[in-house]
Amino acid sequence: MLNLVKSAFYKEKETRRALARFIERGGQLSYGKECRDFESAFAKWQGAKYAVMFSSGSTANFALVQALMHLHHLKRGDAVGFSAVTWPTNILPLIQLGLKPVPIDVDLKTLNISPKTLQTSFKKHKLKAVFLTHVLGLCDDIKGIVSFCKKNKIFLIEDTCEALGTVCDGKKLGSFGLGGTFSFFIGHHMSTIEGGMVVTNDEHVSRELRIIRSHGWDRHLEPHEQKSLRERHGVDDFYAQYTFYNLGNNFRPTEVSGFLGKIQLKHADTIVNKRERNFKKLSKAIHSKSDLYYPIETRHIEVISNFAFPLITRTKAVQEELVRRARGKVEIRPLIAGNITRQPFYKLHGSMHSEKLPNAEIIHERGLYFGNNPDLSHKDIQTLIEIFTNFKI
Ligand SMILES: Cc1ncc(COP(=O)(O)O)c(C=O)c1O
């Protein structure tokens, strides 16, 4: 059986052994040096000024949206666009923080918001921000989206939880907007068991993220940031220990995740390369079956960091046949949450405005994916190609 996730870590055995030795050594296990070292290494790898680690991609998403509100870039009631094909915790902060979530349809070839779908939505809603989701390592015309957002004063943020390492227009995804979020959950590209990160080049966003991550206090701020906050609020060193400057939560990661992040990041380029090599082999054989599948466009992407292989079948009958053929051989799942506005949670709490989302709808009805992990052998890839191409309807 080819499962979605083959192992918890890249280089599973040696990573588990290193983790056991790390625990045995003793010392601090709550947020500390390991996490800080991982943050510095990750910022460097990503090409960002700041990286702030979180307990998950979901808490990273929440904190990033909240940081934009602390900085008055967004206020309650503002319309924020999001990809109609995404993960629930991309939208959750918009709902919980009192913003107006606006679903934007995706392009069927890239599974992402395109400048065209963004423009259509902007004409109808006065979007103040857009939270992109780079689904399964893919992206659309990111340069076009950045320039549309700049022209129309829209804050751009990126949910890069599914696209760690994808490069487009010479830059890694997650670095095109005011902030980009990442997930290190075991099923994703790089694992710290659970974990997340926000990268940004904006000093103020980085400071707010560290306040939000830890109860609203200043403990993880730089000395000059602490000094300025304490002076502004007339707080001495004794009371500074328990002074809470803004809304915050406990979204901190542990040293276990920081330690694992440092180890796994050393393999990140290898992991991305292997997944990309698999993706290209699979795509050449499978996506080219245009009678069975809608094409996926990747020519504009310089490095495709894909961790699960997407398929959108031309008909429901093809999708049903694939479910039958894969049973007991390959683990397949729906293409994330499909048209997320059809999810029960969204019907309960999402926007009351109905949007036409024809492409998200096709993905909902006929999309699926299977795992693309770095340990897939040549034989595994041949098996996948056989299952997903060698049949007739
Ligand atoms: C696009 C996207 N955003 C956010 C998340 C949440 O990440 P985490 O599981 O680390 O909370 C996921 C999780 O799968 C995701 O796919």
Side-chain angles (χ1 to χ4, degrees), residues 56-58 61 87 89 133 159 161-162 183 185 188 195:
S56 70
S58 301
N61 277 356
W87 193 253
T89 53
T133 298
D159 181 332
C161 291
E162 299 190 5
S183 165
F185 176 63
H188 287 227

Side-chain angles (χ1 to χ4, degrees), residues 71-112:
L71 295 167
H72 307 291
H73 295 332
L74 291 174
K75 60 176 187 324
R76 288 176 89 81
D78 280 347
V80 179
F82 66 90
S83 311
V85 177
T86 185
W87 193 253
T89 53
N90 174 278
I91 309 164
L92 187 88
L94 310 181
I95 296 171
Q96 289 194 324
L97 293 167
L99 296 156
K100 183 182 132 194
V102 177
I104 303 178
D105 205 11
V106 297
D107 186 296
L108 211 48
K109 289 203 197 73
T110 61
L111 315 180
N112 267 259

